PDB file of all heavy atoms in Angstrom:
ATOM      1  N   ALA A 125      97.577 112.569 103.217  1.00 98.00           N
ATOM      2  CA  ALA A 125      98.183 112.858 101.918  1.00 98.00           C
ATOM      3  C   ALA A 125      98.376 111.585 101.112  1.00 98.00           C
ATOM      4  O   ALA A 125      98.559 110.495 101.667  1.00 98.00           O
ATOM      5  CB  ALA A 125      99.519 113.573 102.081  1.00 98.00           C
ATOM      6  N   ILE A 126      98.353 111.758  99.791  1.00 98.00           N
ATOM      7  CA  ILE A 126      98.712 110.697  98.874  1.00 98.00           C
ATOM      8  C   ILE A 126      99.682 111.287  97.861  1.00 98.00           C
ATOM      9  O   ILE A 126      99.402 112.309  97.236  1.00 98.00           O
ATOM     10  CB  ILE A 126      97.475 110.070  98.186  1.00 98.00           C
ATOM     11  CG1 ILE A 126      97.908 108.982  97.195  1.00 98.00           C
ATOM     12  CG2 ILE A 126      96.601 111.125  97.524  1.00 98.00           C
ATOM     13  CD1 ILE A 126      96.761 108.120  96.698  1.00 98.00           C
ATOM     14  N   SER A 127     100.864 110.682  97.747  1.00 98.00           N
ATOM     15  CA  SER A 127     101.916 111.150  96.850  1.00 98.00           C
ATOM     16  C   SER A 127     101.975 110.202  95.654  1.00 98.00           C
ATOM     17  O   SER A 127     102.178 108.997  95.813  1.00 98.00           O
ATOM     18  CB  SER A 127     103.261 111.182  97.585  1.00 98.00           C
ATOM     19  OG  SER A 127     104.272 111.762  96.809  1.00 98.00           O
ATOM     20  N   VAL A 128     101.799 110.742  94.467  1.00 98.00           N
ATOM     21  CA  VAL A 128     101.558 109.940  93.257  1.00 98.00           C
ATOM     22  C   VAL A 128     102.862 109.497  92.605  1.00 98.00           C
ATOM     23  O   VAL A 128     103.749 110.310  92.336  1.00 98.00           O
ATOM     24  CB  VAL A 128     100.724 110.740  92.241  1.00 98.00           C
ATOM     25  CG1 VAL A 128     100.414 109.887  91.012  1.00 98.00           C
ATOM     26  CG2 VAL A 128      99.441 111.249  92.887  1.00 98.00           C
ATOM     27  N   GLU A 129     102.967 108.218  92.322  1.00 98.00           N
ATOM     28  CA  GLU A 129     104.119 107.660  91.620  1.00 98.00           C
ATOM     29  C   GLU A 129     103.720 107.412  90.162  1.00 98.00           C
ATOM     30  O   GLU A 129     103.349 106.312  89.762  1.00 98.00           O
ATOM     31  CB  GLU A 129     104.565 106.354  92.298  1.00 98.00           C
ATOM     32  CG  GLU A 129     105.763 105.678  91.649  1.00 98.00           C
ATOM     33  CD  GLU A 129     107.090 106.375  91.914  1.00 98.00           C
ATOM     34  OE1 GLU A 129     107.094 107.552  92.368  1.00 98.00           O
ATOM     35  OE2 GLU A 129     108.135 105.760  91.664  1.00 98.00           O
ATOM     36  N   TYR A 130     103.763 108.473  89.368  1.00 98.00           N
ATOM     37  CA  TYR A 130     103.434 108.361  87.946  1.00 98.00           C
ATOM     38  C   TYR A 130     104.650 107.830  87.180  1.00 98.00           C
ATOM     39  O   TYR A 130     105.794 107.917  87.630  1.00 98.00           O
ATOM     40  CB  TYR A 130     102.986 109.709  87.390  1.00 98.00           C
ATOM     41  CG  TYR A 130     103.951 110.862  87.622  1.00 98.00           C
ATOM     42  CD1 TYR A 130     105.016 111.089  86.755  1.00 98.00           C
ATOM     43  CD2 TYR A 130     103.790 111.729  88.702  1.00 98.00           C
ATOM     44  CE1 TYR A 130     105.895 112.134  86.955  1.00 98.00           C
ATOM     45  CE2 TYR A 130     104.663 112.784  88.909  1.00 98.00           C
ATOM     46  CZ  TYR A 130     105.724 112.980  88.037  1.00 98.00           C
ATOM     47  OH  TYR A 130     106.596 114.024  88.240  1.00 98.00           O
ATOM     48  N   ARG A 131     104.387 107.284  85.993  1.00 98.00           N
ATOM     49  CA  ARG A 131     105.480 106.747  85.190  1.00 98.00           C
ATOM     50  C   ARG A 131     106.276 107.879  84.530  1.00 98.00           C
ATOM     51  O   ARG A 131     105.722 108.922  84.200  1.00 98.00           O
ATOM     52  CB  ARG A 131     104.925 105.789  84.134  1.00 98.00           C
ATOM     53  CG  ARG A 131     104.431 104.471  84.706  1.00 98.00           C
ATOM     54  CD  ARG A 131     103.726 103.627  83.666  1.00 98.00           C
ATOM     55  NE  ARG A 131     102.436 104.218  83.296  1.00 98.00           N
ATOM     56  CZ  ARG A 131     101.649 103.734  82.330  1.00 98.00           C
ATOM     57  NH1 ARG A 131     102.045 102.669  81.639  1.00 98.00           N
ATOM     58  NH2 ARG A 131     100.492 104.310  82.073  1.00 98.00           N
ATOM     59  N   LEU A 132     107.576 107.632  84.341  1.00 98.00           N
ATOM     60  CA  LEU A 132     108.486 108.663  83.863  1.00 98.00           C
ATOM     61  C   LEU A 132     108.778 108.544  82.375  1.00 98.00           C
ATOM     62  O   LEU A 132     108.837 107.453  81.808  1.00 98.00           O
ATOM     63  CB  LEU A 132     109.806 108.585  84.628  1.00 98.00           C
ATOM     64  CG  LEU A 132     109.746 108.769  86.151  1.00 98.00           C
ATOM     65  CD1 LEU A 132     111.135 108.572  86.753  1.00 98.00           C
ATOM     66  CD2 LEU A 132     109.175 110.126  86.525  1.00 98.00           C
ATOM     67  N   ALA A 133     108.988 109.709  81.759  1.00 98.00           N
ATOM     68  CA  ALA A 133     109.504 109.768  80.393  1.00 98.00           C
ATOM     69  C   ALA A 133     111.032 109.623  80.458  1.00 98.00           C
ATOM     70  O   ALA A 133     111.628 109.876  81.508  1.00 98.00           O
ATOM     71  CB  ALA A 133     109.113 111.103  79.770  1.00 98.00           C
ATOM     72  N   PRO A 134     111.693 109.216  79.389  1.00 98.00           N
ATOM     73  CA  PRO A 134     111.162 108.974  78.045  1.00 98.00           C
ATOM     74  C   PRO A 134     110.625 107.566  77.821  1.00 98.00           C
ATOM     75  O   PRO A 134     110.028 107.309  76.784  1.00 98.00           O
ATOM     76  CB  PRO A 134     112.374 109.232  77.149  1.00 98.00           C
ATOM     77  CG  PRO A 134     113.532 108.779  77.993  1.00 98.00           C
ATOM     78  CD  PRO A 134     113.182 109.184  79.395  1.00 98.00           C
ATOM     79  N   GLU A 135     110.840 106.641  78.779  1.00 97.00           N
ATOM     80  CA  GLU A 135     110.289 105.298  78.582  1.00 97.00           C
ATOM     81  C   GLU A 135     108.774 105.355  78.419  1.00 97.00           C
ATOM     82  O   GLU A 135     108.189 104.571  77.658  1.00 97.00           O
ATOM     83  CB  GLU A 135     110.634 104.391  79.776  1.00 97.00           C
ATOM     84  CG  GLU A 135     112.127 104.191  79.992  1.00 97.00           C
ATOM     85  CD  GLU A 135     112.694 105.160  80.996  1.00 97.00           C
ATOM     86  OE1 GLU A 135     112.211 106.312  81.078  1.00 97.00           O
ATOM     87  OE2 GLU A 135     113.631 104.764  81.704  1.00 97.00           O
ATOM     88  N   HIS A 136     108.165 106.281  79.137  1.00 98.00           N
ATOM     89  CA  HIS A 136     106.719 106.490  79.060  1.00 98.00           C
ATOM     90  C   HIS A 136     106.490 107.961  78.722  1.00 98.00           C
ATOM     91  O   HIS A 136     106.306 108.795  79.610  1.00 98.00           O
ATOM     92  CB  HIS A 136     106.063 106.127  80.395  1.00 98.00           C
ATOM     93  CG  HIS A 136     106.411 104.753  80.868  1.00 98.00           C
ATOM     94  ND1 HIS A 136     105.838 103.627  80.336  1.00 98.00           N
ATOM     95  CD2 HIS A 136     107.297 104.321  81.809  1.00 98.00           C
ATOM     96  CE1 HIS A 136     106.336 102.549  80.935  1.00 98.00           C
ATOM     97  NE2 HIS A 136     107.231 102.951  81.823  1.00 98.00           N
ATOM     98  N   PRO A 137     106.537 108.302  77.425  1.00 98.00           N
ATOM     99  CA  PRO A 137     106.519 109.719  77.036  1.00 98.00           C
ATOM    100  C   PRO A 137     105.237 110.418  77.450  1.00 98.00           C
ATOM    101  O   PRO A 137     104.170 109.796  77.603  1.00 98.00           O
ATOM    102  CB  PRO A 137     106.669 109.673  75.509  1.00 98.00           C
ATOM    103  CG  PRO A 137     106.271 108.286  75.115  1.00 98.00           C
ATOM    104  CD  PRO A 137     106.623 107.400  76.262  1.00 98.00           C
ATOM    105  N   LEU A 138     105.369 111.712  77.664  1.00 98.00           N
ATOM    106  CA  LEU A 138     104.179 112.516  77.933  1.00 98.00           C
ATOM    107  C   LEU A 138     103.214 112.380  76.764  1.00 98.00           C
ATOM    108  O   LEU A 138     103.642 112.236  75.624  1.00 98.00           O
ATOM    109  CB  LEU A 138     104.580 113.982  78.115  1.00 98.00           C
ATOM    110  CG  LEU A 138     105.478 114.281  79.325  1.00 98.00           C
ATOM    111  CD1 LEU A 138     105.924 115.729  79.313  1.00 98.00           C
ATOM    112  CD2 LEU A 138     104.770 113.963  80.633  1.00 98.00           C
ATOM    113  N   PRO A 139     101.909 112.346  77.040  1.00 98.00           N
ATOM    114  CA  PRO A 139     101.233 112.767  78.272  1.00 98.00           C
ATOM    115  C   PRO A 139     100.947 111.661  79.303  1.00 98.00           C
ATOM    116  O   PRO A 139     100.021 111.782  80.093  1.00 98.00           O
ATOM    117  CB  PRO A 139      99.917 113.341  77.737  1.00 98.00           C
ATOM    118  CG  PRO A 139      99.606 112.471  76.556  1.00 98.00           C
ATOM    119  CD  PRO A 139     100.943 112.153  75.931  1.00 98.00           C
ATOM    120  N   ILE A 140     101.736 110.580  79.309  1.00 98.00           N
ATOM    121  CA  ILE A 140     101.443 109.461  80.203  1.00 98.00           C
ATOM    122  C   ILE A 140     101.454 109.889  81.671  1.00 98.00           C
ATOM    123  O   ILE A 140     100.618 109.430  82.462  1.00 98.00           O
ATOM    124  CB  ILE A 140     102.424 108.298  79.948  1.00 98.00           C
ATOM    125  CG1 ILE A 140     102.057 107.605  78.631  1.00 98.00           C
ATOM    126  CG2 ILE A 140     102.393 107.289  81.097  1.00 98.00           C
ATOM    127  CD1 ILE A 140     102.984 106.487  78.222  1.00 98.00           C
ATOM    128  N   ALA A 141     102.354 110.771  82.069  1.00 98.00           N
ATOM    129  CA  ALA A 141     102.390 111.220  83.469  1.00 98.00           C
ATOM    130  C   ALA A 141     101.075 111.875  83.872  1.00 98.00           C
ATOM    131  O   ALA A 141     100.591 111.695  84.996  1.00 98.00           O
ATOM    132  CB  ALA A 141     103.543 112.198  83.684  1.00 98.00           C
ATOM    133  N   TYR A 142     100.477 112.630  82.950  1.00 98.00           N
ATOM    134  CA  TYR A 142      99.180 113.253  83.228  1.00 98.00           C
ATOM    135  C   TYR A 142      98.080 112.189  83.320  1.00 98.00           C
ATOM    136  O   TYR A 142      97.204 112.257  84.187  1.00 98.00           O
ATOM    137  CB  TYR A 142      98.823 114.245  82.122  1.00 98.00           C
ATOM    138  CG  TYR A 142      99.808 115.376  81.946  1.00 98.00           C
ATOM    139  CD1 TYR A 142     100.708 115.370  80.892  1.00 98.00           C
ATOM    140  CD2 TYR A 142      99.829 116.465  82.810  1.00 98.00           C
ATOM    141  CE1 TYR A 142     101.604 116.410  80.701  1.00 98.00           C
ATOM    142  CE2 TYR A 142     100.717 117.515  82.632  1.00 98.00           C
ATOM    143  CZ  TYR A 142     101.608 117.482  81.580  1.00 98.00           C
ATOM    144  OH  TYR A 142     102.493 118.517  81.409  1.00 98.00           O
ATOM    145  N   GLU A 143      98.141 111.224  82.426  1.00 98.00           N
ATOM    146  CA  GLU A 143      97.128 110.155  82.423  1.00 98.00           C
ATOM    147  C   GLU A 143      97.208 109.331  83.707  1.00 98.00           C
ATOM    148  O   GLU A 143      96.167 108.988  84.296  1.00 98.00           O
ATOM    149  CB  GLU A 143      97.337 109.265  81.199  1.00 98.00           C
ATOM    150  CG  GLU A 143      97.080 109.997  79.881  1.00 98.00           C
ATOM    151  CD  GLU A 143      97.592 109.227  78.674  1.00 98.00           C
ATOM    152  OE1 GLU A 143      98.200 108.144  78.862  1.00 98.00           O
ATOM    153  OE2 GLU A 143      97.389 109.710  77.542  1.00 98.00           O
TER     154      GLU A 143
END
Side-chain angles (χ1 to χ4, degrees):
I126 178 168
S127 186
V128 183
E129 180 74 345
Y130 54 84
R131 288 172 290 175
L132 300 176
E135 299 94 327
H136 307 283
L138 296 174
I140 286 177
Y142 300 104
E143 294 167 357

